[in-house]
Amino acid sequence: MPRSERSSLLLAGLLATAGVAHFASPKQFDAIIPRSLPGPPRTWTYASGVVELALAAGIAVPRTRRTAALAAAGFFVGVFPANARMALDWRNRPAPQRAAAYGRLPLQIPLVLWARSVAKNGEGRS
């Protein structure tokens, strides 16, 4: 399997896992939904899970990979406020939890770059 195909499938797997987690354990995601968003946090948690599952499916299919990967890059940028809120909310937690929350912030950069790389190498030209 070519490296670009493996990278695409790994990204799809990451997104699918995250999407399933939003439904399997929504309470943890509800807690990081920015308060400024309208409606109940659970709605945003489930919507985010649906988006992640849709992006995973799109990236897994070569024909839609490029478009889905570009959308994933935008999604990773879009969820940054939730990760920032989590870091802020966890600032008084024990050091390992704080480190995990703060560590998520710079992690968004390689996720965006990974998605862009998948888009660049994706087929999606049919």
Side-chain angles (χ1 to χ4, degrees), residues 31-32 35 84-93:
I32 64 171
R35 291 180 209 109
R85 172 160 180 218
M86 180 181 177
L88 184 64
D89 288 348
W90 286 25
R91 68 186 176 274
N92 297 319
R93 294 225 178 160

Side-chain angles (χ1 to χ4, degrees), residues 11-31:
L11 181 59
L14 173 80
L15 284 160
T17 300
V20 168
H22 279 73
F23 291 94
S25 185
K27 192 179 244 185
Q28 70 179 2
F29 295 99
D30 293 347

Side-chain angles (χ1 to χ4, degrees), residues 40-102:
R42 184 62 51 94
T43 300
W44 290 99
T45 295
Y46 287 157
S48 179
V50 168
V51 169
E52 286 170 327
L53 291 170
L55 291 171
I59 290 169
V61 176
R63 186 171 188 187
T64 56
R65 182 168 295 148
R66 183 177 178 347
T67 300
L70 287 173
F75 178 78
F76 291 139
V77 171
V79 298
F80 184 81
N83 291 336
R85 172 160 180 218
M86 180 181 177
L88 184 64
D89 288 348
W90 286 25
R91 68 186 176 274
N92 297 319
R93 294 225 178 160
Q97 291 178 335
R98 252 190 346 261
Y102 289 126

